[in-house]
Amino acid sequence: MNKKAQIFERLRKAVIVGDTEEAVKAAQDVIDTGIEPWKAITEGLAKGMEVVGEKFEKKEYFIPEMLVSADAMYAALNLLLPLLETDETVEKQKVVLGVVEGDIHDIGKNIVKAMLTAGGYEVIDLGVDVPTEKFVETASSDEVKVIAMSTMMTPTLLSLKDVEEQLEKKGLKGKVKTIVGGGTVTEDWRSKIGSDAYGKDAADAVGKVKLLLNQIKAAVELAKKKREKRS
Amino acid sequence: MIREETERPEQVKIVFFPYGKREWFSKGRVSIFSAAKALGIDLSSLCGGKGTCGKCKVKIGEGIKGLNPLTEQELKHITQEEIEAGYRLACQAIPTTSISVYVPERSRVGKQRLQTEGLEVPVKQLNPFVRKYFVKLPKPTLHDFRSDEDRLLDTLNAGYGLSTGLEIDFELGVDLASRLRDADWAVTAVIWKNRIIEVEPGNTSGRCFGFAVDVGTTKLAGFLMDLNTGKVVAVASRMNPQISLGEEVMSRITHQIMEGHKGVKELQGAVVSGINEMIEECCEKVGVEKNEIYELCFVGNTAMQLCFLGIYGRYVAFTPYPPVLRRGVNIWASSIGLTSHPRANVYHAPVIGGFVGGDNVAVILATRMLESDEICMALDIGTNTEIDLGNKNLVMVDSCASGPAFEGMQIKHGMRAATGAIERVSIDLETLEINYRTIEDKPPVGLCGSALVDVPAELLKAGLIDLTGKFVPEMAEKTNRLRRNPKGIWEFVLVLQPETATDTDIVVTQGDIRELQKAKAAMRTGAEILMKRLGEERKETVTEDDISKLFMAGAFGNYIDPENARTIGMYPELPYERVEFVGNIAGTGSRMCLISKEEREYAEKIATTVKYHELAADKDFQKEYIDALYFPHKNLDKYPDTADLLRRLGRIR
């Protein structure tokens, strides 16, 4: 194993076992040896979070393990992110994330945030008890393509519906796609309210967000081609 | 966070209430009866599923359209009224879509063991609102032409000194004249507060009854009481029939929101029908007429208060969860369809906050916490667990969504405490073999709450799970009870199939352990944060040492093993002798409010004095919760005795 691969492996392992200290050390080594930070993130940290997600799905990892892993990842990320070349950051897709109005449970949302961050997205975290207008407002920005929202309670399922309706009303539905999830949310409810995707857990959410972004990209390219044809 | 997929091709999901058990079955091939059998649900049948005995009637909730048409056999057993209400014979009905099925009490074999008994606490004074006075009225003459009303009032005043503001209820006034004359002027006046609500012929003052109820999210407990003596004369309990409209408080309120007025009425009708059944059962047991019940007292959490009184609860369900009516409420029984005397007063105890209701007021009342010199803690365990802490200077309360895991819900082989439920489990530390006991010693069907406390504690002591709650894969070399299921998820076999009453092994999965961890962590966090915040209010730290008494109350309180509960960290590590199991203490409080004006006034005072703490908004919530997810706790200094035990067993260094 060459030096580079060794460092990536250390980052990966540090995330899996949730060793913040080691993650920071390895990130420092990335900087010192002049490895591309972006590579370290995707080959090291993200790979680690992938394993964490798998273990979580099998219930072998639980909330505390998820959170310490996320901590380790963030610690390394904080060192590496500022070093990214500007064009690399521009490449990053923005995802708006929040717990809907009326609900203040944020542990699950934070886990999703960590997984999305590890997946290479820039997460705009609106926090908890986020008013419907706030989601819609953020969605109006050009760069935002995906809104991810969740709730753990039943009555607040209606808040998810509110957001969908407001997006529809403002004509934003095509421009942004939505993904919903959380303790009480089901695929059934997703289809009822017309959201674009359902993430059954954090790992699933990352995959679905990727899918949504690909859909948007494909749609944009198709439109472009049509335009070109016409002209 | 991880949920089962909501749809599967070629399969339908069948959910049984009130058990909360659910499973996937082949579409269009499995009758509800076979599904129930496979899940070990105690559905009664004499013919074994041929459609000839008509015993397996079930009520269909969602998904009735996906059933085959009524069969000839069914038409012989099910009335038109039942058809309209959605009844089917389980053995004849075959679902082609996912479906929810309610098994009514009469179609069940085993009796649910619902804990109704609570500690007896003497009231300050036996002083019911309802009083009976026997009077003989002078007949009207040409010289005494007072109205019937005045005649009665004057006589009551002369005989008993009842003068202040006494009045006759108008509805009674309508046929007062004939009542007095039919009884030949010798009547017993029934007075609630200062209102005459009934006159009974002759002297019935020796018979005066009331009915106290604890309206729980999952169960109802009713007590018929003799208001002259203050004693319970009959007890009944039921599952709360609202369960089929939503398993926990949030889904009930959602039902209100989604269905509007209709939903509000449905929920109210459901709980009232359950209460009426209990009234009937109690009255029959001891030969009391339903009409002899002149007052009813209710305690329930805030959502139950809304659903019972028919109040629209939408805004209670959203932060910051404000209740609608905080005070105690008095209404007439007839106005909500209760089958006591129509003019019986219905009192619902006041609530404290959106998640802390009249049941908790009753807990504080009956534990006498607010009068104690020493600091006490009360844990009322249920789907929502309320925690009270304090003494005469200040009592604080918070409420946590501990979820129904300890009631057997969301647990693979979990069930309620009914016949055949495993209620005790121990694991031999040497051989890793299992000893268990079931309710009524019947073959095991599943695990109920008390066993769900035992299992993680025993697994921990045996080294089968670690402090984080994870199964220890290396232990699979020592016992083949520890195995991976086809999905690669670890599970531990408690009972092998030939021994069970179902067609599968009874196991506890890694996912089950996680659910139990979440439930116990929620309770423990509620306790920890309350200790911190009470300390801040008192300007001195409150530690385990300061807590002189821990009252463990609630659904399965009396049946759980206090040692195992402590080992998994369900409550702070106090010496066992300070832990007192008080059972359904909310029911006790309800009874006290029924028979004593003083206690009822005191309940109103409690509701305004107790300080509610919003747990979810607490800055330390997340950290405390995560620490409390561990067995017994991340910080073992909080559990020195338990840590010592685990050290001796070689589980920790």
Side-chain angles (χ1 to χ4, degrees), chain B residues 298-300 302 305 323 325-329 347-354 356-366 370 388 394-397 593 598-613:
Chain B
F298 291 83
V299 303
T302 309
Q305 174 224 33
L325 297 179
R326 198 202 41 75
R327 62 183 166 84
V329 173
Y347 172 76
H348 193 289
V351 303
I352 296 173
V356 181
D359 51 346
N360 195 250
V361 169
V363 169
I364 296 171
L365 178 86
L370 200 47
D388 305 284
L394 174 66
V395 168
M396 291 181 75
V397 56
C593 285
E598 287 71 19
E599 301 291 355
R600 203 177 296 184
E601 280 163 16
Y602 184 45
E604 297 286 343
K605 189 185 150 205
I606 289 171
T608 52
T609 359
V610 168
K611 191 165 177 200
Y612 174 60
H613 183 69

Side-chain angles (χ1 to χ4, degrees), chain A residues 40-60:
Chain A
I41 294 172
T42 51
E43 298 294 308
L45 299 176
K47 288 265 155 65
M49 273 317 265
E50 227 168 80
V51 175
V52 170
E54 280 161 21
K55 284 184 179 285
F56 187 66
E57 220 154 345
K58 283 190 183 165
K59 316 271 182 175
E60 282 166 28

Side-chain angles (χ1 to χ4, degrees), chain A residues 56-65 67 101-104 106-108 110-112 129 153-156 158-159 162 182-189 198 200-202, chain B residues 1-7 248 250-251 253-254 257-258 314 317-319 321 468 470 484 487-490 510-511 514-515 517-518 614 616-617 621-622 625-626 629-630:
Chain A
F56 187 66
E57 220 154 345
K58 283 190 183 165
K59 316 271 182 175
E60 282 166 28
Y61 268 23
F62 196 34
I63 301 162
E65 292 82 11
L67 293 173
E101 185 158 18
D103 191 348
I104 50 181
D106 72 344
I107 295 179
N110 290 342
I111 293 176
V112 172
D129 196 11
M153 307 199 302
T154 323
T156 42
L158 290 173
S159 302
D162 283 349
T184 51
V185 184
T186 59
E187 168 60 28
D188 217 27
W189 184 248
Y198 163 63
K200 77 178 167 77
D201 59 51
Chain B
M1 285 211 11
I2 294 174
R3 300 180 61 84
E4 271 194 320
E5 60 270 52
T6 45
E7 285 309 327
E248 28 68 50
M250 280 302 179
S251 15
I253 293 181
T254 305
I257 298 171
M258 298 287 188
R314 166 158 196 167
F318 294 84
T319 51
Y321 322 111
T468 70
K470 182 173 170 291
R484 278 184 194 266
K487 280 185 190 163
I489 296 170
W490 287 102
Q510 184 68 70
R514 299 312 191 190
E515 290 300 323
Q517 279 179 279
K518 282 195 262 179
E614 176 57 61
F621 177 80
Q622 177 157 338
Y625 177 72
I626 288 159
L629 286 168
Y630 291 76

Side-chain angles (χ1 to χ4, degrees), chain B residues 391-569:
Chain B
N391 67 352
K392 62 182 181 188
N393 299 324
L394 174 66
V395 168
M396 291 181 75
V397 56
D398 62 17
S399 171
C400 56
S402 42
F406 282 109
E407 291 167 48
M409 307 261 220
Q410 293 161 7
I411 299 295
K412 180 154 191 187
H413 290 134
M415 66 181 286
R416 295 186 186 282
T419 310
I422 299 176
E423 56 171 349
R424 277 274 176 277
V425 175
S426 67
I427 299 176
D428 187 313
L429 296 178
E430 293 301 318
T431 63
L432 302 178
E433 281 308 296
I434 309 293
N435 284 306
Y436 66 89
R437 190 176 81 210
T438 63
I439 294 176
E440 289 167 30
D441 291 321
K442 289 286 182 328
V445 180
L447 297 150
C448 72
S450 49
L452 291 170
V453 171
D454 291 343
V455 167
E458 294 290 318
L459 290 173
L460 184 68
K461 283 188 279 185
L464 287 154
I465 56 174
D466 63 20
L467 269 58
T468 70
K470 182 173 170 291
F471 276 114
V472 179
E474 294 76 41
M475 291 300 280
E477 290 158 23
K478 294 197 181 154
T479 172
N480 51 14
R481 285 180 179 271
L482 184 61
R483 65 185 188 195
R484 278 184 194 266
N485 75 6
K487 280 185 190 163
I489 296 170
W490 287 102
E491 62 183 25
F492 186 75
V493 184
L494 291 167
V495 189
L496 278 162
Q497 196 273 325
E499 248 180 80
T500 67
T502 62
D503 54 12
T504 56
D505 300 337
I506 294 176
V507 302
V508 54
T509 68
Q510 184 68 70
D512 294 340
I513 303 283
R514 299 312 191 190
E515 290 300 323
L516 296 170
Q517 279 179 279
K518 282 195 262 179
K520 78 102 189 169
M523 295 176 200
R524 185 64 184 83
T525 307
E528 188 68 25
I529 287 189
L530 218 48
M531 284 161 71
K532 280 194 178 178
R533 302 296 164 254
L534 184 74
E536 283 164 11
E537 296 281 342
R538 295 170 59 93
K539 299 194 171 55
E540 59 189 16
T541 52
V542 175
T543 68
E544 280 80 354
D545 287 341
D546 301 311
I547 301 170
S548 68
K549 191 133 216 173
L550 171 66
F551 299 101
M552 292 278 271
F556 63 102
N558 282 0
Y559 298 106
I560 67 172
D561 182 283
E563 293 190 31
N564 283 338
R566 203 180 83 172
T567 302
I568 63 170

